[in-house]
Amino acid sequence: MLKKDTIVILLITVFIVTPAILALGAYFVTKNPSLRPLGITVERLSEAGQLENKSLIIAVIDIGTEAKGTASKQSYKQAIETTFDRLETKANVKFRSVPGSTQTTITYIVGESRIGPFPVERAAEGVLAAAQAERMIVAQRHSVAKEQERRASMTKSAFWQKIFD
Protein backbone atom coordinates (compact mmCIF):
# COMPACT_ATOMS: atom_id res chain seq x y z
CA MET A 1 0.00 0.00 0.00
CA LEU A 2 1.23 3.48 -0.83
CA LYS A 3 2.15 5.81 1.97
CA LYS A 4 0.37 9.10 2.41
CA ASP A 5 3.56 11.04 1.60
CA THR A 6 3.99 9.16 -1.68
CA ILE A 7 0.43 9.91 -2.74
CA VAL A 8 0.85 13.60 -1.94
CA ILE A 9 4.09 13.80 -3.94
CA LEU A 10 2.47 12.01 -6.89
CA LEU A 11 -0.52 14.37 -6.83
CA ILE A 12 1.69 17.45 -6.69
CA THR A 13 3.76 16.12 -9.59
CA VAL A 14 0.64 15.42 -11.66
CA PHE A 15 -0.78 18.89 -11.01
CA ILE A 16 2.50 20.57 -11.98
CA VAL A 17 3.33 18.47 -15.04
CA THR A 18 -0.14 18.05 -16.60
CA PRO A 19 -0.65 21.71 -17.67
CA ALA A 20 2.77 21.80 -19.32
CA ILE A 21 2.09 18.57 -21.20
CA LEU A 22 -1.33 19.81 -22.33
CA ALA A 23 0.15 23.12 -23.50
CA LEU A 24 2.92 21.32 -25.38
CA GLY A 25 0.35 19.07 -27.04
CA ALA A 26 -1.73 22.10 -28.02
CA TYR A 27 1.39 23.73 -29.47
CA PHE A 28 2.14 20.67 -31.61
CA VAL A 29 -1.43 20.63 -32.93
CA THR A 30 -1.89 24.37 -33.57
CA LYS A 31 1.74 25.55 -34.01
CA ASN A 32 0.71 28.63 -31.97
CA PRO A 33 3.89 29.82 -30.18
CA SER A 34 1.94 31.42 -27.34
CA LEU A 35 0.88 27.92 -26.25
CA ARG A 36 4.42 26.57 -26.03
CA PRO A 37 5.39 26.28 -22.35
CA LEU A 38 8.49 28.31 -21.47
CA GLY A 39 9.15 28.93 -25.15
CA ILE A 40 7.39 32.20 -25.94
CA THR A 41 9.85 34.48 -27.75
CA VAL A 42 9.42 37.74 -29.61
CA GLU A 43 10.75 36.10 -32.76
CA ARG A 44 8.23 33.27 -32.66
CA LEU A 45 5.32 35.61 -31.94
CA SER A 46 6.22 37.98 -34.79
CA GLU A 47 6.82 34.98 -37.06
CA ALA A 48 3.29 33.75 -36.26
CA GLY A 49 1.83 37.19 -36.95
CA GLN A 50 0.76 37.78 -33.36
CA LEU A 51 3.11 40.71 -32.77
CA GLU A 52 3.41 43.80 -34.90
CA ASN A 53 6.89 45.03 -35.58
CA LYS A 54 6.41 48.43 -37.19
CA SER A 55 8.81 50.69 -35.36
CA LEU A 56 11.32 49.65 -32.77
CA ILE A 57 12.00 53.18 -31.51
CA ILE A 58 9.40 54.91 -29.38
CA ALA A 59 10.11 58.51 -28.43
CA VAL A 60 8.11 59.40 -25.33
CA ILE A 61 7.82 63.14 -24.76
CA ASP A 62 6.75 64.08 -21.22
CA ILE A 63 5.32 67.60 -21.16
CA GLY A 64 4.80 69.18 -17.75
CA THR A 65 1.43 70.83 -17.24
CA GLU A 66 3.15 73.90 -15.81
CA ALA A 67 5.88 74.11 -18.47
CA LYS A 68 6.23 77.53 -20.05
CA GLY A 69 7.18 78.31 -23.62
CA THR A 70 6.80 74.76 -24.94
CA ALA A 71 6.44 74.16 -28.65
CA SER A 72 3.39 72.43 -30.08
CA LYS A 73 3.12 68.66 -30.06
CA GLN A 74 3.15 68.66 -33.85
CA SER A 75 6.47 70.52 -33.99
CA TYR A 76 8.04 68.08 -31.50
CA LYS A 77 6.74 65.13 -33.48
CA GLN A 78 7.95 66.53 -36.79
CA ALA A 79 11.42 67.31 -35.39
CA ILE A 80 11.86 63.81 -33.96
CA GLU A 81 10.58 62.06 -37.08
CA THR A 82 12.79 64.19 -39.35
CA THR A 83 15.85 63.44 -37.22
CA PHE A 84 15.29 59.69 -37.34
CA ASP A 85 14.43 59.81 -41.06
CA ARG A 86 17.89 61.29 -41.70
CA LEU A 87 19.38 58.29 -39.92
CA GLU A 88 17.23 55.98 -42.07
CA THR A 89 15.16 54.73 -39.15
CA LYS A 90 11.60 55.27 -38.01
CA ALA A 91 10.42 56.51 -34.64
CA ASN A 92 6.97 56.38 -33.13
CA VAL A 93 6.34 59.55 -31.09
CA LYS A 94 4.10 59.41 -28.02
CA PHE A 95 3.15 62.23 -25.64
CA ARG A 96 2.43 62.16 -21.92
CA SER A 97 1.25 64.94 -19.68
CA VAL A 98 3.01 65.20 -16.31
CA PRO A 99 0.90 67.04 -13.73
CA GLY A 100 2.72 69.57 -11.58
CA SER A 101 5.94 69.47 -13.58
CA THR A 102 7.64 72.39 -15.29
CA GLN A 103 9.95 70.28 -17.45
CA THR A 104 9.66 68.81 -20.90
CA THR A 105 11.73 65.64 -21.30
CA ILE A 106 12.17 62.96 -23.93
CA THR A 107 12.92 59.28 -23.43
CA TYR A 108 13.76 56.87 -26.24
CA ILE A 109 12.53 53.31 -25.75
CA VAL A 110 14.13 50.71 -28.01
CA GLY A 111 13.08 47.16 -27.27
CA GLU A 112 13.76 46.72 -23.57
CA SER A 113 16.22 49.63 -23.42
CA ARG A 114 15.38 53.09 -22.10
CA ILE A 115 17.63 55.90 -23.27
CA GLY A 116 17.09 59.06 -21.30
CA PRO A 117 15.21 61.02 -20.09
CA PHE A 118 16.81 64.06 -21.68
CA PRO A 119 15.65 67.65 -21.34
CA VAL A 120 14.10 68.69 -24.63
CA GLU A 121 17.04 71.05 -25.27
CA ARG A 122 19.40 68.05 -25.22
CA ALA A 123 17.09 65.57 -27.00
CA ALA A 124 19.62 65.05 -29.79
CA GLU A 125 22.05 63.36 -27.39
CA GLY A 126 19.97 60.17 -27.33
CA VAL A 127 19.13 59.94 -31.03
CA LEU A 128 22.30 58.16 -32.17
CA ALA A 129 22.17 55.76 -29.24
CA ALA A 130 18.55 54.90 -30.04
CA ALA A 131 19.35 54.37 -33.73
CA GLN A 132 22.30 52.10 -32.87
CA ALA A 133 20.20 50.12 -30.39
CA GLU A 134 17.57 49.59 -33.08
CA ARG A 135 20.21 48.38 -35.54
CA MET A 136 21.52 45.91 -32.96
CA ILE A 137 18.03 44.52 -32.37
CA VAL A 138 17.41 44.17 -36.11
CA ALA A 139 20.76 42.40 -36.56
CA GLN A 140 20.01 40.05 -33.68
CA ARG A 141 16.57 39.21 -35.07
CA HIS A 142 18.10 38.61 -38.49
CA SER A 143 20.67 36.20 -37.03
CA VAL A 144 17.94 34.39 -35.08
CA ALA A 145 15.91 34.02 -38.29
CA LYS A 146 18.95 32.56 -40.08
CA GLU A 147 19.50 30.12 -37.22
CA GLN A 148 15.84 29.06 -37.37
CA GLU A 149 16.15 28.47 -41.12
CA ARG A 150 19.29 26.41 -40.53
CA ARG A 151 17.55 24.31 -37.90
CA ALA A 152 14.53 23.82 -40.15
CA SER A 153 16.74 22.55 -42.95
CA MET A 154 18.36 19.92 -40.70
CA THR A 155 16.81 16.49 -40.58
CA LYS A 156 14.77 15.93 -37.47
CA SER A 157 15.19 12.25 -36.90
CA ALA A 158 15.76 12.15 -33.16
CA PHE A 159 12.82 12.22 -30.77
CA TRP A 160 14.30 14.93 -28.53
CA GLN A 161 15.15 17.19 -31.51
CA LYS A 162 11.47 17.17 -32.47
CA ILE A 163 10.36 18.07 -28.97
CA PHE A 164 12.90 20.76 -28.06
CA ASP A 165 13.18 22.53 -31.42
Side-chain angles (χ1 to χ4, degrees):
M1 182 135 195
L2 294 173
K3 293 182 180 179
K4 184 179 179 182
D5 294 340
T6 308
I7 294 173
V8 169
I9 290 173
L10 285 173
L11 285 174
I12 290 172
T13 304
V14 166
F15 284 118
I16 290 174
V17 172
T18 302
I21 290 174
L22 291 175
L24 188 60
Y27 166 73
F28 280 126
V29 171
T30 64
K31 297 297 181 199
N32 183 349
S34 62
L35 295 176
R36 188 172 182 181
L38 302 176
I40 300 172
T41 61
V42 173
E43 289 80 15
R44 298 237 180 186
L45 290 174
S46 62
E47 185 179 279
Q50 294 182 356
L51 182 69
E52 282 189 40
N53 191 9
K54 290 183 180 176
S55 175
L56 293 174
I57 301 172
I58 301 171
V60 180
I61 301 174
D62 295 323
I63 301 174
T65 55
E66 297 176 14
K68 296 179 182 170
T70 60
S72 69
K73 289 182 179 181
Q74 185 60 33
S75 64
Y76 283 137
K77 183 175 181 174
Q78 186 177 11
I80 295 295
E81 287 177 348
T82 302
T83 303
F84 281 103
D85 281 343
R86 290 184 180 160
L87 293 172
E88 298 177 358
T89 60
K90 297 286 181 201
N92 191 2
V93 181
K94 302 286 184 189
F95 294 95
R96 290 191 298 199
S97 180
V98 181
S101 176
T102 59
Q103 293 184 337
T104 301
T105 60
I106 184 165
T107 305
Y108 303 101
I109 301 172
V110 186
E112 297 295 320
S113 302
R114 297 178 67 88
I115 303 166
F118 297 100
V120 75
E121 301 83 27
R122 294 181 27 226
E125 292 180 20
V127 171
L128 286 176
Q132 288 298 326
E134 186 223 12
R135 289 186 181 112
M136 287 192 302
I137 290 173
V138 168
Q140 189 265 344
R141 287 184 181 176
H142 180 69
S143 66
V144 167
K146 284 180 103 174
E147 176 64 19
Q148 287 176 345
E149 288 175 13
R150 185 189 69 78
R151 285 185 182 183
S153 66
M154 292 178 10
T155 60
K156 296 180 182 176
S157 59
F159 173 75
W160 293 110
Q161 284 178 340
K162 290 179 183 177
I163 289 188
F164 290 120
D165 188 35

